[in-house]
């Protein structure tokens, strides 16, 4: 939270009667002390703020902070010292400008906007992400039972969590002052003369700690932005977390996770590399056919198909294992991109933040070299036409420049993955090369 531009992001709260607010953003509260500190051995810290208006109403806000928790409790009380009954309701709003705070790779920017746990039917809810641009075009307001509203950004979430089971009105819209608003209004509650009314609201302001958000509120774990690949991504993060518990280093945990994933995918990789190795072994025959039918595309294709049929190999066989592995690789990308645990996490030497780019570009260069070596080892370019060869040769250079802006943790994963793939490919290629070359069939 910050009340300064350009990263303006504040939380406001208060009570409103049926006719008017009982306090405003300019209301000055007083506190019994200038400083509050959680005592040794205590689990909670209460910070009371009080205000008495001109009519004699005494309003108190008590913020409760809990050791080791990013949840904050707010109890607002109104002491009705007047002669008339009073009806009041609690409200809270998050207001922020849509400026991203901190570094994000220009080619992998994450979502920034509102999150809303919307009631569709009694007992049935869905999580909605709403971009600030959409709020400008289509602001909303809805009354429902339960749910919550939040502001989302990379790694962090700030949420208003009303009391479960209470009726609540949620709204999202552009602010008339600056930025955008995520608002909550609670139900009206009557406070008779001489009585005190209390209203409780919870907030969560902190990191999207994976595996801990389920306990905050129903559906709150959906703020972990894995999308449709969550069933794959969550077990992968669990494995990485266990590896971190074992090693104490998130960079080493990424390396161990990469080893585990590559080991699990070995059979698929083996099929892919065996296909590539067989293609390389038949390169002289393929080149001879290309030269013989260089001027006749139809005869060339027919001769190639006859070769594939006679020798019983398929040049596309290596693609299917790659397609099967693709969802796992994408899920790994989101795990490494979304994990706040990697933020400011030290790895080794000069890499002291796995969520930021390598400051000396060593990892991206090593990744590019490993990709170039893998291409040479595979030998696929020998069977391609010159245009395809030039495009493939350019890929390591282009991806090195691309990965220079990516978080170091992501580049570390791809580099280690390439090294393992090179070892697997070398081993399988050698096995195929040592097999006798089949004689051409008549």
């Amino acid at each position: 939270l910050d009340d300064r531009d350009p990263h303006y992001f504040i939380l406001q709260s208060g009570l409103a009667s049926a006719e008017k607010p009982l306090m405003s953003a300019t209301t000055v509260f007083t506190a019994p002390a200038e400083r509050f500190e959680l005592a040794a051995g205590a689990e909670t810290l209460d910070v009371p703020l009080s205000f008495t208006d001109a009519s004699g109403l005494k309003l108190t806000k008590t913020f409760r902070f809990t050791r080791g928790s990013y949840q904050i409790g707010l109890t607002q009380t109104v002491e009705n010292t007047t002669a008339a009954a009073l009806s009041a309701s609690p409200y809270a709003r998050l207001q922020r400008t849509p400026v991203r705070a901190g570094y994000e790779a220009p080619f992998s920017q994450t979502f920034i906007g509102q999150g809303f746990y919307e009631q569709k039917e009694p007992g049935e809810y869905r999580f909605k992400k709403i971009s600030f641009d959409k709020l400008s075009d289509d602001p909303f307001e809805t009354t429902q039972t339960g749910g919550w509203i939040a502001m989302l950004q990379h790694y962090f979430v700030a949420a208003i969590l009303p009391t479960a089971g209470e009726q609540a009105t949620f709204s999202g819209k552009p602010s008339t002052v600056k930025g955008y608003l995520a608002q909550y209004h609670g139900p009206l509650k009557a406070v008779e003369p001489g009585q005190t009314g209390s209203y409780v609201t919870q907030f969560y302001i902190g990191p999207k700690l994976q595996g801990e958000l389920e306990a905050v509120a129903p559906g709150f774990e959906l703020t972990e932005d894995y999308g449709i690949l969550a069933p794959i991504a969550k077990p992968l993060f669990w494995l990485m977390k266990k590896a971190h518990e074992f090693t104490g280093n998130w960079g080493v945990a990424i390396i161990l996770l990469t080893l585990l994933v590559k080991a699990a995918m070995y059979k698929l990789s083996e099929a892919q590399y065996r296909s590539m190795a067989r293609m390389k072994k038949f390169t002289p025959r393929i080149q001879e056919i290309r030269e013989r039918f260089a001027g006749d595309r139809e005869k060339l294709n027919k001769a190639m198909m006859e070769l594939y049929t006679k020798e019983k190999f398929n040049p596309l066989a290596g693609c299917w294992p790659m397609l099967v592995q693709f969802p796992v690789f994408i899920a790994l990308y989101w795990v490494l991109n979304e994990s706040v645990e990697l933020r400011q996490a030290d790895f080794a030497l000069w890499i002291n933040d796995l969520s930021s780019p390598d400051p000396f570009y060593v990892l991206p260069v090593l990744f590019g070299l490993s990709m170039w070596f893998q291409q040479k080892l595979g030998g696929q370019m020998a069977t391609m036409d010159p245009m395809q060869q030039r495009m493939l040769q350019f890929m390591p250079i282009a991806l090195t420049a691309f990965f220079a802006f990516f978080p170091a943790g992501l580049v570390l994963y791809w580099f280690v993955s390439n090294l393992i793939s090179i070892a697997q490919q070398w081993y399988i290629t050698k096995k195929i090369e040592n097999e006798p070359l089949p004689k051409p069939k008549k």
Side-chain angles (χ1 to χ4, degrees), residues 35 46 136 190 269 364:
R35 178 181 174 85
D46 288 346
S136 295
S269 299

Side-chain angles (χ1 to χ4, degrees), residues 235-260:
L236 288 174
F237 176 78
W238 182 86
L239 282 173
M240 186 170 71
K241 188 175 180 180
K242 290 298 178 184
H244 175 258
E245 291 173 2
F246 178 70
T247 63
N249 184 300
W250 283 107
V252 178
I254 291 172
I255 294 172
L256 290 178
L257 176 64
T258 311
L259 287 167
L260 290 171

Side-chain angles (χ1 to χ4, degrees), residues 31-60:
E34 291 185 357
R35 178 181 174 85
F36 295 85
E37 187 171 337
L38 184 63
E43 291 301 312
T44 60
L45 171 67
D46 288 346
V47 178
L49 309 172
S50 59
F51 165 74
T52 303
D53 73 2
S55 67
L57 286 175
K58 184 177 181 181
L59 307 170
T60 303

Side-chain angles (χ1 to χ4, degrees), residues 14 20 26 39 47 51 64 74 79 85 91 108 110 133 170 172 177 191 212 228 243-244 258 290 318 350 398 414:
K20 62 178 182 178
T26 59
V47 178
F51 165 74
R64 170 163 288 188
L74 170 62
E79 191 176 328
Y91 69 85
S108 63
T110 55
D133 289 341
F170 297 102
V177 180
V191 184
E212 298 184 19
I228 60 173
H244 175 258
T258 311
R290 285 184 183 278
W350 65 90
W414 282 111

Side-chain angles (χ1 to χ4, degrees), residues 353-368:
D353 185 356
L354 287 166
S355 69
S356 296
D358 181 339
F360 300 113
Y361 308 111
V362 174
L363 276 178
V365 170
L366 290 175
F367 162 80

Side-chain angles (χ1 to χ4, degrees), residues 135-202:
L135 278 182
S136 295
D137 299 330
D138 188 20
F140 74 92
E141 179 171 311
T142 185
T143 300
Q144 62 183 49
T145 301
W148 44 265
I149 194 166
M151 291 287 194
L152 306 174
Q153 67 184 63
H154 196 195
Y155 297 139
F156 297 98
V157 55
I160 303 168
L161 311 168
T163 302
E166 277 192 354
Q167 189 179 71
T169 298
F170 297 102
S171 62
K173 60 183 180 181
S175 168
T176 56
V177 180
K178 66 173 69 178
Y180 295 85
L181 297 172
Q183 299 186 128
Y184 148 76
H185 286 271
L188 283 167
K189 183 185 295 184
V191 184
E192 298 298 327
Q195 300 297 310
T196 299
S198 294
Y199 310 81
V200 178
T201 309
Q202 295 286 326

